[in-house]
Amino acid sequence: MSMSRRTTTAAGAAALLLGSGLGLLSAPSAQAATGSDIAATAAGQVGNNACGNGGAGYYASGTGQTSSCSGGTTAHAWCADFAGWVWAQNGAKNLGVLNNLANSFQTYANNNQGGLSSTPHVGDAVFFHPSGYSSSFTEDDHVAIVVAVNGNGTIDYVGGNQGGAPGKVSRNNGMPGTVGAYEWTVNGTAVHLAGYAAPVLSNSAPTAPNTKPALGNKGSIIASDGNQVTFTRDAGSGHLQVTYLPVGGGWATADLTGMTGGAAAGGGAPAAFLQANGTLGVVTADAANGHLRVTYQPSGGGWQTTDLTSSFGAPVSDGDVSTQVDASGTLSIFSRNSLNGHVNLTYLPTSGGWQNFDLTDNVGAAVSGGGAPVAFLQANGTLGVVTADAANGHLRITYKPAAGAWQTSDLTGSFGAATSDGNVSSVLGNDGTLALYSRNAGNGHLNLTYLPNGGAWATTDLAYQAGTPAM
């Protein structure tokens, strides 16, 4: 996953969202490397200098790093070059964040496993950092490749630029393997083991990533390349997180707020979307001011973020947001104005800029109570949103046929749907039936209100009909 730290200007946001195909989460190639293969590659280089590589040239090939040697001599401290080269030889992914500094492996761990791990595995990179120094202090950092994990809590590792000047590839056996353990002193500074970074390999098992505890709401989507993507809010910081499972790869996670410079997200579930051109994104509301925000990744580019309230006049939101992309490619964002409860549509047509439309003022949709507006798109092209009226909890549908104008209907008053506290979800059946599931505000019963394809609205209480317990 390419994750460069960039923001975008208001003028460029629409073009960036719509002007590219998918480059999103790179599918892994057909490599079959294991941690043991990585360890063997590292061990096979023992004794070489910066220009060694078994006579095949300098280390760092295949990564974003620069040459480890110049004219047969060391160009710079090259431990990171060596470790990156070893991973690259075995098909490790996402190496573009690696550079000539050892702490770039910490960045790699942040992007792909939610931070450095405390558990070593053969093939991992082990990162060392002076305790008591800030992360920006890099002079005495070091990184090497774990080649053995011993039963007594120690590890063996192979690293480049080790030993006396000018440095060679060497193996250190029986070193303390616990995070925080003292390793050595250099220039009067004590260096400790900081943690482990695991390479993303094409045959990595889909194990759970080291994700941050989430606030319980999420937005999930399948990208156009088949990758599973879930957006959550960090329970501690409110930062927007993305957790993803590439096809054939292993779980990984990254902090999108930290990477894009966006704001911490407020209440409500992140609303994920996928445009027809492959751009992946998510909509949130800023915790500090309720500004509506879109964070997205165009094809082949890094994640970016735009404040839709500041840049395009979208109303502030309490985080109750829902998205839909129609057949024309228009991206629609339905939100609840946190100042007046109005149901609002913020949309981006395939040509043109962002626009806003107040469905309460212009269509007569009632002021909405709590809970997310739930967007839907029927097979016949009808776009709509479901809410609960703030005054009486009536379930309401506001919709626009493909070739018609916006309309609104009170499903409780007109068709007997149960009153709702705003906890609503929708699904479109294979036969075209639009089904709305809601929680009865009076008794907590799960209620189904549905519109069969070509039929009339009907409603049923699933607590009575199917024995579903009260919610």
Side-chain angles (χ1 to χ4, degrees):
M1 179 182 266
S2 172
M3 300 235 180
S4 59
R5 180 187 176 95
R6 278 196 293 170
T7 58
T8 184
T9 63
L16 284 168
L17 270 173
L18 288 164
S20 55
L22 184 66
L24 156 78
L25 306 169
S26 300
S29 60
Q31 299 287 337
T34 65
S36 296
D37 294 327
I38 291 173
T41 299
Q45 300 296 309
V46 169
N48 288 341
N49 60 26
C51 306
N53 188 6
Y58 60 84
Y59 296 111
S61 172
T63 76
Q65 301 159 336
T66 56
S67 172
S68 60
C69 68
S70 176
T73 61
T74 301
H76 52 253
W78 51 281
C79 63
D81 296 341
F82 173 76
W85 177 88
V86 171
W87 275 7
Q89 302 312 297
N90 289 276
K93 305 300 177 185
N94 307 339
L95 299 183
V97 299
L98 299 183
N99 55 40
N100 297 328
L101 297 177
N103 70 358
S104 63
F105 283 81
Q106 182 167 18
T107 303
Y108 185 95
N110 291 342
N111 285 1
N112 294 287
Q113 64 188 43
L116 291 168
S117 169
S118 59
T119 304
H121 300 91
V122 172
D124 286 357
V126 54
F127 174 59
F128 304 95
H129 182 74
S131 293
Y133 284 80
S134 69
S135 60
S136 62
F137 184 89
T138 62
E139 182 178 348
D140 296 323
D141 286 348
H142 185 62
V143 66
I145 300 295
V146 177
V147 295
V149 179
N150 307 314
N152 60 358
T154 65
I155 60 172
D156 301 349
Y157 59 80
V158 172
N161 196 35
Q162 296 187 160
K168 290 184 177 295
V169 179
S170 64
R171 177 169 179 151
N172 291 49
N173 295 327
M175 300 296 289
T178 304
V179 170
Y182 166 79
E183 301 288 336
W184 61 79
T185 297
V186 58
N187 299 325
T189 301
V191 177
H192 295 72
L193 194 154
Y196 301 92
V200 177
L201 301 174
S202 60
N203 63 329
S204 298
T207 53
N210 183 22
T211 56
K212 302 291 182 65
L215 283 170
N217 45 34
K218 59 183 174 60
S220 298
I221 200 164
I222 302 295
S224 60
D225 56 5
N227 295 334
Q228 301 177 41
V229 184
T230 297
F231 299 96
T232 56
R233 286 194 300 136
D234 185 328
S237 64
H239 282 199
L240 179 64
Q241 301 280 324
V242 60
T243 301
Y244 57 99
L245 178 63
V247 175
W251 283 105
T253 190
D255 182 333
L256 290 181
T257 300
M259 296 174 64
T260 63
F273 64 85
L274 179 66
Q275 291 180 274
N277 59 23
T279 296
L280 177 74
V282 61
V283 181
T284 54
D286 292 356
N289 53 20
H291 285 199
L292 204 63
R293 176 174 296 276
V294 61
T295 303
Y296 60 98
Q297 186 185 42
S299 174
W303 285 95
Q304 305 175 44
T305 191
T306 297
D307 183 328
L308 295 177
T309 301
S310 292
S311 300
F312 303 104
V316 293
S317 170
D318 51 10
D320 292 331
V321 183
S322 185
T323 60
Q324 192 61 252
V325 178
D326 66 22
S328 73
T330 296
L331 169 61
S332 296
I333 302 170
F334 295 92
S335 63
R336 192 169 74 95
N337 187 319
S338 57
L339 298 180
N340 56 20
H342 286 200
V343 183
N344 195 82
L345 169 61
T346 300
Y347 62 101
L348 180 65
T350 51
S351 60
W354 286 99
Q355 301 180 50
N356 297 288
F357 187 65
D358 188 319
L359 292 170
T360 300
D361 279 345
N362 292 290
V363 185
V367 169
S368 172
V374 178
F376 66 85
L377 180 66
Q378 292 179 276
N380 61 12
T382 297
L383 174 70
V385 61
V386 182
T387 54
D389 293 356
N392 53 19
H394 284 202
L395 200 65
R396 175 172 297 278
I397 184 170
T398 304
Y399 61 99
K400 180 185 181 301
W406 282 98
Q407 305 172 47
T408 190
S409 179
D410 182 334
L411 295 178
T412 301
S414 300
F415 303 103
T419 57
S420 171
D421 54 8
N423 290 308
V424 185
S425 66
S426 68
V427 66
L428 191 67
N430 290 333
D431 62 355
T433 296
L434 173 61
L436 309 176
Y437 295 91
S438 61
R439 189 164 77 98
N440 187 316
N443 57 19
H445 286 195
L446 179 64
N447 196 81
L448 168 62
T449 302
Y450 60 100
L451 179 64
N453 188 14
W457 283 102
T459 188
T460 185
D461 185 324
L462 293 176
Y464 292 136
Q465 194 81 7
T468 305
M471 298 167 61

